[in-house]
Amino acid sequence: VYGNLGGLSSSSSHTPTYHDTCQRYQQLVPPLERMIGCAGMFNTGTNVITKLLKANCIIPERYEHYGPGQSKESYGMRFQVPWG
């Protein structure tokens, strides 16, 4: 999980773990605003990761809000991260 999470930075003496950032993300971002996307260099498996996310993951609150039969984007799985 990368992005501006309200104070988590690589310059601090504590290096955040996945659990730290995930928990912080869940505290700061309301469920209906949560999105997941894959980022990486070309030829590093980002397309496979994106397909796996879309095939196997949803954000339950978004599914409940938008209902069945919607796009995976509606359920929080992005084709790519918003910055590129």
Side-chain angles (χ1 to χ4, degrees):
V1 174
Y2 292 99
N4 184 358
L5 296 178
L8 292 178
S9 71
S10 60
S11 63
S12 69
S13 62
H14 170 71
T15 302
T17 63
Y18 172 77
H19 181 265
D20 293 337
T21 56
C22 183
Q23 187 175 37
R24 182 96 170 145
Y25 179 79
Q26 290 175 346
Q27 290 171 349
L28 293 175
V29 181
L32 293 179
E33 294 179 21
R34 295 178 189 159
M35 300 288 286
I36 297 172
C38 180
M41 298 296 293
F42 293 108
N43 295 321
T44 60
T46 55
N47 285 338
V48 173
I49 301 264
T50 297
K51 287 181 181 183
L52 289 171
L53 283 172
K54 288 189 171 202
N56 296 296
C57 301
I58 61 168
I59 296 173
E61 295 87 352
R62 290 182 66 96
Y63 182 84
E64 290 174 15
H65 178 77
Y66 292 105
Q70 300 299 313
S71 71
K72 287 295 188 165
E73 293 272 333
S74 297
Y75 300 148
M77 302 301 116
R78 297 184 68 112
F79 176 71
Q80 66 184 38
V81 294
W83 58 86

